Amino acid sequence: MSRFRNVPQGPPIEVFALNKAFLDDPYEPKVNLGAGAYRDEKGQPWVLPVVRKTERLMAQDDFLNHEYLPVLGLDTFSSAATALLLGEDSHVFSKGLAFGVQVLSGTGALRMAAEFLSKQLKYNTFYVSDPTWENHNLVFTNAGFKDARKYRYWDPKTRGIDFEGMIEDLKSAPEDSVIILHACAHNPTGCDPTQEQWKKIAEVMEERKLFPMFDSAYQGFASGDIEKDAWAVRYFVDKGFELLCAQSFAKNFGLYNERVGNLTFVANCKEVAVAVKSQVTLSVRGMYSNPPNHGARIVATILNNPGLFQEWKDCIKIMSRRIHSMRKELRDRLEKLGTPGSWEHITSQIGMFSYTGLNAKQSEHMIECFHVYMLKSGRINMCGLNPENVDYVAKAIYDTIN
Ligand code: PMP
């Protein structure tokens, strides 16, 4: 008899199960709009040319070795990542009030943040947008948070943000609640607050003494402009908030499986920042001891070299422009077909994802009848579209709705 016999079967993780179902599906044509990864116009994964070039340089460097990195990772990486987020001339950075820690991609950054907030600050309540990237809940509850709550975000009627609902919910949140905010390119809705709305969010959070936990998984990838995509985080920092921000380099560098992430801490006192860093060091040491080198070294090399940095900025423009043009193409086709309803949200949403407005039944119909794989929530990855399949997908949506 097994010791493990009472372990219950866990539920499948939708996005991975969907990906497997797509790969196993022998039918053609089929389209994968599920998993959140960039695809080029031929539907293939894209290794950014600047990443390839950097890897070649690294392969020829006889001084690189496989020694352990420090517990908090490569300093040249975490400093450059924090500067990318807060801006080169950020006063908190130069005054020693902010620092970065190299962690295991965006998810690892969130996990480390949740661990710190739960164990060190004893925070117990967190809020996510309704809806949010589904993993926020698992990460925060696994790290010890007992009270998971939602603030209103998506309004199905306007297919935009329910801003009044959001503000109302923040106003009634208990002091010291951790509010998870998507820095840009909200996943899954593709709807970001305007700058005026961010100002109001900051005002309420200050009034109610709420803690901002930013999740920045798409800097540069969203608008094509790294400064623009960091605006909200920088605004909160300028307003004097202490905060954490999880940064992922999976999408904007195309380094999904290298697990390159940074967790930025912003405190309002230098001595406090030093103590915080010492506790994070112990936390990492007790979890995985130290992070991997390869991906972080690629990012550090690119961010610290003006020529490569420019090449990278050109690459994120290529990706964001392609997404933008697929949004336009899809909307045009849906409108030309006379698909019922408004499709304006497809082009006004930003980033990799679009919340189409299709319900669970319609999304399942898209899979079963047309082999177009998408999440039950109606979320599609715009990168899965290309000039060859956009007609097919538009027609599938049209037929599903009619
Ligand atoms: N946060 C959000 C909002 C995301 O969309 C993602 C990627 N899907 C992540 C965090 C983390 O991704 P990763 O761990 O691959 O960096």
Side-chain angles (χ1 to χ4, degrees):
M1 193 181 276
S2 170
R3 286 175 186 276
F4 309 128
R5 65 189 176 279
N6 292 328
V7 178
Q9 177 71 39
I13 299 166
E14 187 189 9
V15 72
F16 289 99
L18 193 74
N19 211 30
K20 181 166 185 325
F22 171 80
L23 293 172
D24 291 346
D25 184 349
Y27 186 86
E28 286 293 346
K30 59 177 178 174
V31 183
N32 190 355
L33 305 181
Y38 183 79
R39 294 285 174 267
D40 67 13
E41 65 284 358
K42 297 251 160 13
Q44 295 304 310
W46 195 48
V47 178
L48 274 53
V50 67
V51 165
R52 228 1 143 219
K53 183 172 171 182
T54 307
E55 284 186 304
R56 288 203 179 100
L57 291 172
M58 282 164 56
Q60 286 159 9
D61 185 342
D62 289 334
F63 291 100
L64 287 182
N65 55 41
H66 297 286
E67 291 294 290
Y68 288 123
L69 291 187
V71 175
L72 299 187
L74 259 188
D75 220 21
T76 48
F77 163 76
S78 51
S79 309
T82 302
L84 182 75
L85 179 72
L86 301 178
E88 282 298 335
D89 49 359
S90 166
H91 66 283
V92 286
F93 201 36
S94 55
K95 287 185 192 144
L97 302 174
F99 66 90
V101 172
Q102 182 197 332
V103 283
L104 308 180
S105 213
T107 309
L110 286 162
R111 174 60 198 244
M112 190 48 68
E115 193 81 16
F116 174 80
L117 295 170
S118 164
K119 305 257 156 59
Q120 296 297 328
L121 306 193
K122 314 284 182 223
Y123 290 169
N124 196 32
T125 301
F126 73 99
Y127 276 77
V128 291
S129 56
D130 183 15
T132 191
W133 179 52
E134 85 295 338
N135 208 17
H136 282 147
N137 284 303
L138 191 60
V139 169
F140 269 68
T141 47
N142 278 0
F145 276 78
K146 297 275 183 294
D147 185 13
R149 302 190 190 189
K150 290 175 184 169
Y151 57 84
R152 274 169 279 173
Y153 198 77
W154 171 255
D155 182 351
K157 284 196 289 303
T158 60
R159 294 187 177 167
I161 301 179
D162 176 2
F163 190 65
E164 271 176 32
M166 176 179 183
I167 291 296
E168 228 173 83
D169 291 342
L170 294 182
K171 277 189 173 160
S172 60
E175 193 174 315
D176 292 341
S177 296
V178 175
I179 313 294
I180 301 180
L181 299 162
H182 298 229
C184 66
H186 184 271
N187 177 3
T189 68
C191 297
D192 287 343
T194 62
Q195 292 191 357
E196 286 316 302
Q197 289 174 329
W198 276 120
K199 288 179 187 169
K200 180 73 188 162
I201 293 167
E203 188 189 309
V204 173
M205 287 186 59
E206 194 174 5
E207 212 173 270
R208 298 288 315 137
K209 300 191 171 60
L210 307 176
F211 185 85
M213 169 76 244
F214 277 99
D215 182 1
S216 176
Y218 301 94
Q219 189 181 355
F221 189 91
S223 67
D225 179 343
I226 51 176
E227 316 297 335
K228 204 166 160 186
D229 291 349
W231 188 90
V233 179
R234 293 179 190 177
Y235 178 77
F236 272 65
V237 171
D238 287 345
K239 292 292 288 176
F241 278 94
E242 296 190 293
L243 55 81
L244 298 188
C245 180
Q247 280 169 279
S248 168
F249 292 88
K251 320 278 157 141
N252 52 9
F253 275 83
L255 287 168
Y256 305 90
N257 67 13
E258 296 295 347
R259 314 311 290 146
V260 194
N262 186 56
L263 176 60
T264 288
F265 289 76
V266 178
N268 62 14
C269 158
K270 201 173 164 183
E271 290 70 40
V272 164
V274 172
V276 167
K277 204 170 187 175
S278 71
Q279 290 300 336
V280 180
T281 307
L282 294 176
S283 204
V284 172
R285 178 70 176 146
M287 271 208 266
Y288 55 84
S289 197
N290 45 69
N293 168 69
H294 186 72
R297 196 170 291 277
I298 295 171
V299 174
T301 306
I302 294 171
L303 293 182
N304 289 310
N305 174 307
L308 297 175
F309 185 47
Q310 186 54 49
E311 285 178 42
W312 172 65
K313 287 200 279 188
D314 295 340
C315 288
I316 50 180
K317 281 214 170 67
I318 291 174
M319 293 191 284
S320 63
R321 279 197 194 128
R322 198 183 95 66
I323 295 172
H324 194 74
S325 92
M326 290 328 298
R327 288 187 177 282
K328 204 172 149 310
E329 303 278 318
L330 180 63
R331 179 180 166 188
D332 279 357
R333 280 163 178 75
L334 289 169
E335 286 173 350
K336 280 201 187 102
L337 286 165
T339 318
S342 160
W343 298 97
E344 200 242 320
H345 60 285
I346 301 283
T347 49
S348 61
Q349 293 168 349
I350 184 167
M352 175 177 257
F353 300 114
S354 179
Y355 223 42
T356 55
L358 266 62
N359 60 33
K361 215 166 142 222
Q362 291 168 327
S363 303
E364 269 159 26
H365 188 259
M366 290 281 288
I367 300 173
E368 275 158 27
C369 297
F370 301 104
H371 307 260
V372 175
Y373 287 74
M374 58 189 284
L375 297 191
K376 277 205 287 291
S377 63
R379 186 193 87 170
I380 59 172
N381 174 10
M382 298 310 295
C383 309
L385 294 175
N386 57 54
E388 277 166 37
N389 66 21
V390 65
D391 278 311
Y392 178 75
V393 171
K395 183 74 170 53
I397 294 176
Y398 173 85
D399 285 341
T400 296
I401 288 182
N402 276 290

